[in-house]
Amino acid sequence: MARGNFSRVTEFILLCLSDTCELQLLFFTFFLLAYTTVLLGNLLTIVTIRTDPRLSSPMYFLLCHLSFIDICYTSVTAPRVLVALLLRHKAIAFEGCMAQLFFLHFAGSSEMFLLTVMAFDRYTAICRPLRYTAIMARGACWALVAACWAGGFVHSIVQTLLTLRLPFCGPNTIPSYFCDVLPVARLACADTALTERLMASNSGLISLGCFLVLVASYALILAKVWARLSQGRRKALSTCASHVMVVTLFFAPCIFTYLRPAGTSPSNKFVCVVYTTFSPMMNPLIYTLRSSEVKESMRRLWKRCRA
């Protein structure tokens, strides 16, 4: 059971959403359908954008990267949950737990930053149309995407290192279906109050900051369109409302999970389902299928595949 000088725990036990066989079958069906939807929806989005020269604007360039991140983000937790529900194998090795924790925060924070960049792109296109092509040139888009990945990596490596420095020598049951910093830190054989506050403020402030920037961007966009184009108000309101809805589904549970006072009970497992599975499943529906250009491109792609 020894692991160097830092831990005697070699594995953790993950608690599934339910111990009832009927509910486990229901949850397995939900996660399987959700994960399949995420994979197929985002892969279709990537293929459609990459194969159609008409979809070469910065908006679709960023959307393509969002689809890739969604696949990575959901793949960190969903396959493990499916195996646990099907085979009831709840143990995860210490190294596997740390890897899951790292990639979960890496992909999740990168997605937060990218959603913020996408909101800035829409704000620039609508509120600064004459400077849009100069501001959102292809080189600038690549730099913004690289900055999102870099920011996600820095955030994730900080969270992982804070967790690795903790001693684990006793309890090893995590009250969740995946490894996250706060549930894992609470199993340490030491006073982790300061560490928990650092972890929570890191993730929570990033979530809250990005969310506020997103809401402000959409509010400015709506105000601009509302003042200029009376005939486009309903469409603008519908688009902004749908985007804010899916963004809220992703950010609100993260803010609730990480910005709660220290010492409170662990986050509800069903709250975690919203931002790890449900929200990535909604992204292709909201950002892709509501776009007439993308739908038309998908029809052309389908006709080429049938020819």
Side-chain angles (χ1 to χ4, degrees):
M1 292 291 287
R3 187 183 184 278
N5 297 323
F6 300 95
S7 174
R8 294 195 301 268
V9 172
T10 59
E11 66 178 18
F12 293 102
I13 305 299
L14 298 173
L15 297 184
C16 291
L17 295 169
S18 173
D19 292 328
T20 307
C21 293
E22 293 78 7
L23 288 178
Q24 284 191 351
L25 179 60
L26 178 64
F27 289 135
F28 176 83
T29 304
F30 167 76
F31 275 100
L32 181 61
L33 291 175
Y35 187 47
T36 303
T37 301
V38 170
L39 290 180
L40 295 181
N42 286 292
L43 284 173
L44 179 60
T45 300
I46 293 172
V47 171
T48 302
I49 293 174
R50 297 287 293 177
T51 57
D52 194 339
R54 299 177 183 86
L55 303 179
S56 59
S57 67
M59 178 179 69
Y60 296 115
F61 173 83
L62 297 174
L63 182 59
C64 187
H65 284 273
L66 177 66
S67 295
F68 177 71
I69 291 180
D70 271 336
I71 292 174
C72 296
Y73 181 58
T74 312
S75 297
V76 175
T77 57
R80 178 72 200 182
V81 175
L82 292 173
V83 170
L85 291 171
L86 186 64
L87 303 179
R88 300 187 183 181
H89 180 65
K90 299 180 180 180
I92 182 172
F94 183 94
E95 293 78 7
C97 184
M98 294 301 106
Q100 187 180 64
L101 185 153
F102 171 81
F103 286 108
L104 178 74
H105 281 265
F106 184 22
S109 55
S110 297
E111 178 162 345
M112 290 182 184
F113 295 138
L114 185 60
L115 287 170
T116 307
V117 170
M118 291 176 67
F120 172 74
D121 170 73
R122 291 298 81 207
Y123 167 79
T124 306
I126 295 172
C127 300
R128 299 289 187 271
L130 297 180
R131 301 185 58 194
Y132 178 67
T133 54
I135 295 174
M136 297 301 295
R138 182 51 59 99
C141 289
W142 275 111
L144 289 171
V145 169
C148 292
W149 284 108
F153 178 81
V154 171
H155 161 74
S156 184
I157 200 68
V158 169
Q159 298 286 69
T160 306
L161 291 176
L162 285 173
T163 307
L164 283 172
R165 64 183 291 273
L166 297 173
F168 297 95
C169 56
N172 67 337
T173 300
I174 299 175
S176 183
Y177 60 90
F178 62 93
C179 291
D180 200 1
V181 289
L182 294 180
V184 172
R186 286 169 180 155
L187 299 178
C189 304
D191 182 7
T192 60
L194 178 59
T195 303
E196 286 183 35
R197 282 194 289 269
L198 290 173
M199 291 174 169
S201 61
N202 192 339
S203 298
L205 291 178
I206 288 176
S207 303
L208 181 61
C210 290
F211 179 68
L212 292 177
V213 171
L214 280 161
V215 172
S217 299
Y218 285 120
L220 290 173
I221 290 171
L222 189 59
K224 190 75 171 181
V225 174
W226 198 271
R228 291 169 50 187
L229 302 173
S230 58
Q231 68 273 19
R233 290 176 181 176
R234 179 175 298 179
K235 181 179 179 181
L237 180 61
S238 174
T239 301
C240 288
S242 61
H243 285 195
V244 170
M245 178 190 70
V246 73
V247 161
T248 302
L249 283 174
F250 181 60
F251 281 91
C254 294
I255 296 170
F256 169 78
T257 298
Y258 295 107
L259 275 186
R260 292 181 303 163
T264 56
S265 59
S267 177
N268 189 291
K269 288 180 283 189
F270 296 99
V271 173
C272 299
V273 172
V274 176
Y275 68 86
T276 59
T277 305
F278 187 73
S279 180
M281 183 176 64
M282 294 295 294
N283 280 344
L285 302 177
I286 298 298
Y287 288 102
T288 301
L289 296 182
R290 288 178 61 88
S291 170
S292 57
E293 290 180 311
V294 175
K295 288 190 288 187
E296 183 60 32
S297 182
M298 286 181 176
R299 294 190 190 99
R300 291 193 294 266
L301 179 63
W302 174 250
K303 290 178 182 179
R304 290 201 302 270
C305 292
R306 294 185 60 186

